[in-house]
C-alpha cells in the first residue's frame, strides 16, 4: 500500500511597485528630486553599470514585501541601467544602493525621518543625505566601521562615491560635478541651450558678414585693377 503525501504550494509573494505615497509634497521638492536624479544620471551616462532612480521602491529582503523604502534618489554602482518597477535587491546581485538622497518637506515628521535613517543604516547604504527645504539645511552620513556616521560639516562636502560637491550658501541646495559644472534643472538646461544656439547663430552671421565684406573688397580691387589696365597701367607694377 502506497501513501500519497500532498504538497502544499506556497503563495507567490507580490512586491508592489507602488506604496501609495506621493512622490513629493510640493513643487520645489519635486523639482529638486528630478534635478538630482537627472544630474547624477548625466554624470554617469557613459557608465552602463551605474543605476540611478528617483522614488523607486527598494526591497532589501527576499520574501519580505513589508520591509521597503522609496528613496527620493538612489544610486547603485555595479548594476546596469534600465527600467525597473522596483529594486529587488536579491535580483541585483544583492547590491544595496550606495548613495541615497532624501528631500525633507514641511510635512515630514522627525519620527519618519529617523525611521528612514535607520532603514538606510541597517541595510548597507554608504552615503546618506537629507536636505531640509524649509531651513535650507543639508545633513549627511557616511559609512565607516559598519555604520553611518554623521558628517560634521556639509558645506563644500565632496561625496566619496559621486565626487560631487554640495553647497547651500545660495539659499538652495546646489550640487556641482567633479568638473565644476552645476546640476541644472530642465528649464535651466533649456535656457543654456537656447543661449548657446543664439551665440552660434551670432557667430555664423558674423562669419557670413566677414565673408561678404571680403568678397566686396575683392570685387572693388578687381574693378580697380581692370581700370588701371584700361589706362595702360599694370596693377602689379604699382
Amino acid at each position: 500500500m502506497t501513501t500519497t503525501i500532498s504538497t502544499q504550494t506556497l503563495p507567490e509573494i507580490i512586491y508592489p511597485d507602488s506604496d501609495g505615497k506621493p512622490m513629493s509634497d510640493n513643487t520645489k521638492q519635486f523639482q529638486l528630486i528630478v534635478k538630482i536624479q537627472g544630474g547624477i544620471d548625466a554624470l554617469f551616462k557613459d557608465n552602463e553599470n551605474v543605476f540611478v532612480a528617483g522614488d523607486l521602491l527598494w526591497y532589501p529582503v527576499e520574501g519580505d514585501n513589508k520591509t521597503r523604502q522609496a528613496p527620493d534618489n538612489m544610486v547603485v554602482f555595479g548594476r546596469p541601467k534600465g527600467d525597473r518597477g522596483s529594486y529587488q535587491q536579491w535580483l541585483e546581485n544583492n547590491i544595496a544602493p550606495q548613495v541615497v538622497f532624501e528631500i525633507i518637506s514641511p510635512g515630514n515628521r522627525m519620527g519618519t525621518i529617523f525611521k528612514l535613517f535607520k532603514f538606510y543604516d541597517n541595510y548597507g547604504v554608504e552615503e546618506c543625505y537629507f536636505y531640509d527645504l524649509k531651513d535650507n539645511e543639508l545633513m549627511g552620513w557616511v559609512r565607516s566601521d559598519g555604520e553611518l556616521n554623521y558628517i560634521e560639516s556639509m558645506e563644500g562636502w565632496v561625496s566619496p562615491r559621486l565626487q560631487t560637491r554640495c553647497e547651500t550658501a545660495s539659499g538652495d541646495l546646489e550640487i556641482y560635478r567633479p568638473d565644476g559644472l552645476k546640476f541644472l534643472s530642465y528649464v535651466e538646461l533649456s535656457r543654456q541651450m537656447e543661449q548657446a544656439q543664439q551665440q552660434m547663430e551670432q557667430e555664423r552671421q558674423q562669419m557670413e558678414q566677414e565673408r561678404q565684406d571680403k568678397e566686396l573688397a575683392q570685387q572693388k580691387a578687381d574693378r580697380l585693377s581692370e581700370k588701371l589696365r584700361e589706362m595702360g597701367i599694370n596693377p602689379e607694377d604699382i
Side-chain angles (χ1 to χ4, degrees):
M1 179 178 179
T2 57
T3 303
T4 302
I5 301 175
S6 62
T7 59
Q8 185 176 10
T9 304
L10 295 175
E12 180 185 3
I13 297 176
I14 304 299
Y15 302 91
D17 292 347
S18 172
D19 57 5
K21 299 177 183 178
M23 177 177 176
S24 60
D25 294 335
N26 54 70
T27 56
K28 192 171 183 180
Q29 184 184 24
F30 175 81
Q31 290 165 4
L32 188 51
I33 292 170
V34 172
K35 181 193 288 188
I36 293 173
Q37 191 277 332
I40 298 175
D41 216 9
L43 181 60
F44 294 100
K45 65 183 184 302
D46 297 324
N47 190 333
E48 289 300 318
N49 285 311
V50 179
F51 173 65
V52 185
D55 195 44
L56 183 72
L57 275 174
W58 164 27
Y59 293 93
V61 182
E62 184 176 9
D64 182 356
N65 61 5
K66 302 299 183 183
T67 300
R68 62 190 187 184
Q69 286 295 345
D72 287 337
N73 299 101
M74 71 178 187
V75 187
V76 191
F77 290 83
R79 296 307 302 151
K81 299 182 189 304
D83 296 327
R84 293 161 172 79
S86 63
Y87 189 84
Q88 299 174 34
Q89 189 171 315
W90 57 94
L91 301 179
E92 307 281 356
N93 283 354
N94 207 34
I95 298 176
Q98 291 95 351
V99 184
V100 299
F101 286 84
E102 290 288 349
I103 311 304
I104 302 171
S105 68
N108 291 121
R109 297 184 178 182
M110 286 305 299
T112 302
I113 296 170
F114 181 73
K115 181 180 177 182
L116 283 171
F117 171 78
K118 290 303 295 180
F119 183 94
Y120 300 144
D121 193 18
N122 289 340
Y123 291 104
V125 168
E126 294 178 10
E127 300 177 43
C128 177
Y129 303 105
F130 284 23
Y131 177 65
D132 189 328
L133 280 171
K134 182 181 178 182
D135 297 329
N136 184 37
E137 181 183 5
L138 178 63
M139 297 171 287
W141 294 262
V142 65
R143 186 169 295 276
S144 62
D145 298 325
E147 61 182 7
L148 288 173
N149 292 291
Y150 184 69
I151 301 166
E152 292 296 335
S153 177
M154 282 300 303
E155 199 66 19
W157 168 261
V158 176
S159 160
R161 275 282 188 177
L162 307 178
Q163 291 298 298
T164 53
R165 175 171 54 86
C166 298
E167 300 283 353
T168 58
S170 67
D172 291 299
L173 175 62
E174 303 288 2
I175 302 177
Y176 293 85
R177 297 160 45 105
D179 58 11
L181 295 177
K182 185 171 67 172
F183 281 15
L184 299 175
S185 68
Y186 181 83
V187 172
E188 290 170 328
L189 285 169
S190 180
R191 286 175 179 160
Q192 196 175 75
M193 187 179 298
E194 289 173 0
Q195 290 172 355
Q197 290 174 338
Q198 290 172 1
Q199 184 175 351
M200 288 176 62
E201 178 60 22
Q202 289 172 357
E203 291 174 354
R204 187 196 66 78
Q205 291 177 358
Q206 183 178 352
M207 291 175 64
E208 177 64 18
Q209 185 62 50
E210 290 174 354
R211 185 189 65 79
Q212 291 177 359
D213 291 345
K214 190 177 291 185
E215 285 183 355
L216 184 59
Q218 185 62 48
Q219 290 172 3
K220 287 181 178 180
D222 291 344
R223 286 197 298 269
L224 178 58
S225 296
E226 187 177 345
K227 284 191 175 184
L228 288 171
R229 289 190 181 94
E230 291 175 355
M231 295 169 62
I233 303 171
N234 187 350
E236 295 179 0
D237 294 336
I238 299 177

